Amino acid sequence: MKRPTRSATATAATHARGALAALLCACASTGCASAPAPATGLEVVESREPTGSPVLAAEDLEPQRPRTERWCDADDPRRTWTVRVEATHEGAARTDDRGTRVTVRGPDGGIGLLRQTDATDAAESRFTPPLSLAPARLAPGEEHRGESTVHAVTNGIGDRDPGNAMRTARIAALDRVRTPLGTFEAVRVDALLVMKLPHASLRRETSTWVRPGTGPVAVRSDERILVMGVFPRNRAATAVMVPGGTP
């Protein structure tokens, strides 16, 4: 078997890292540690079974209406950022300082991820068909599943070998939470994203607290990345929405 050259290996690693960077960008919410101070973080005051949870609309999970949001790191509230949602001819673009995520509404009323672009190096991940993020309606007891082919594009050059992405989501609990926005009930949605590229893989477990009519107000995630089988990276953090956005 012919061994890959050093330059080919470096190129593959660049594609893999670029694709994962694009996949991880534009998420205003990544996290995993609960912060005790309600003024700056996330506190779950009470958690109940999701049987009494309201049914969530697709836009509760993935807001499409133009708006501006302010978020902060629950572990370091000094680190804040702005998220802007803008209408496009394709659907909606969600942008922060790390990049842009473009979503589209399907004929069934669900919302899917079309592509993501990393602001640092313009690395892009394209999903064919769009990776389904939210069904038209998500009810307690249901599990939503989406699958897609991932094409990595770095410096305008696409990876010849596409990868695969799979995402599941379900309503896990009806919680009473305390965040910088106040104390209120929110629906906790647990999701699992698994993406496999020829030279990289990602697994992200996410809990998102959704306030019907407002959208996500807190996100806690734990992600594990492996590039070329030798560059592991684990990351966990919590992000919460803070006052100051424009509805």
Side-chain angles (χ1 to χ4, degrees), residues 160-240:
R160 291 177 299 177
D161 300 318
N164 297 298
M166 183 275 292
R167 187 178 186 274
T168 60
R170 65 181 181 88
I171 293 177
L174 181 60
D175 291 344
R176 186 165 182 78
V177 299
R178 186 174 294 129
T179 79
L181 297 179
T183 302
F184 47 84
E185 285 196 339
V187 181
R188 194 186 93 208
V189 177
D190 286 352
L192 171 65
L193 171 67
V194 177
M195 191 175 85
K196 295 182 179 179
L197 294 166
H199 306 285
S201 64
L202 173 144
R203 178 185 176 91
R204 179 195 292 150
E205 299 178 24
T206 306
S207 291
T208 303
W209 282 265
V210 178
R211 196 176 186 183
T214 299
V217 294
V219 181
R220 171 185 297 167
S221 71
D222 187 358
E223 59 197 25
R224 300 175 179 85
I225 302 171
L226 193 65
V227 179
M228 298 295 291
V230 293
F231 300 112
R233 182 178 117 190
N234 299 331
R235 184 171 65 179
T238 299
V240 292

